[in-house]
Amino acid sequence: MKQHIETITQLLLGAAYADKRLAGAEITRIRSLLSTLLGGGEVPEALLRQINTFSPAAFNPQQAASRLDGLPVEDKRKLLELVASVNDADEELDLAEDIYLRTVAAALGLSQEEYSDLTLEILGGDELHGFLA
């Protein structure tokens, strides 16, 4: 996945901005993930510039994810786990982050069964019947 590191960086940044609030913990998580993906050590200056100049308003996650079409399903799943990790970094999950993850998953061509464990589950009325009994 190293050859796709710029696209992966963009998708992770998109996750950080999905809820319209950028937390320092999210940037810290992205830098840590990038360092790990690149084999450890410092994040290259080019990626740091990408982090600092990222424009969420101009970013299209579907277009970015489509550049990764040739990745094996296992790598696509791993990428979604990284996106979920960024979503978790600020310890606040919301629907915007969940929608972003689902958008990236769909653009990667994954079925809901392949990533449903990473998404929020909204319970319906019949599932809540007797919950507090």
Side-chain angles (χ1 to χ4, degrees):
M1 288 198 336
K2 284 184 183 181
Q3 68 271 26
H4 301 290
I5 196 67
E6 290 180 3
T7 300
I8 292 168
T9 301
Q10 291 172 349
L11 289 167
L12 296 179
L13 287 164
Y17 282 96
D19 61 0
K20 308 290 188 248
R21 294 180 311 271
L22 179 64
E26 292 166 326
I27 294 298
T28 300
R29 177 74 49 89
I30 290 170
R31 289 176 67 140
S32 174
L33 292 171
L34 292 174
S35 175
T36 301
L37 286 172
L38 293 170
E42 293 295 315
V43 175
E45 189 62 38
L47 291 180
L48 294 176
R49 272 194 305 279
Q50 188 176 349
I51 291 169
N52 292 329
T53 61
F54 182 77
S55 172
F59 178 60
N60 182 327
Q62 294 94 336
Q63 186 178 35
S66 71
R67 293 193 294 264
L68 304 175
D69 190 46
L71 288 179
V73 172
E74 299 81 27
D75 288 349
K76 292 177 180 181
R77 164 64 192 209
K78 184 64 175 172
L79 175 58
L80 284 183
E81 291 172 4
L82 299 176
V83 167
S85 176
V86 172
N87 287 346
D88 291 344
D90 64 0
E91 298 180 1
E92 293 180 24
L93 293 178
D94 63 33
L95 288 177
E97 292 171 332
D98 186 65
I99 290 168
Y100 179 83
L101 186 136
R102 291 171 188 267
T103 299
V104 171
L108 290 170
L110 295 175
S111 68
Q112 187 170 355
E113 292 78 33
E114 293 172 305
Y115 66 88
S116 62
D117 61 311
L118 301 174
T119 60
L120 297 177
E121 181 180 353
I122 299 173
L123 300 176
D126 55 334
E127 295 170 307
L128 295 175
H129 183 69
F131 181 70
L132 296 177

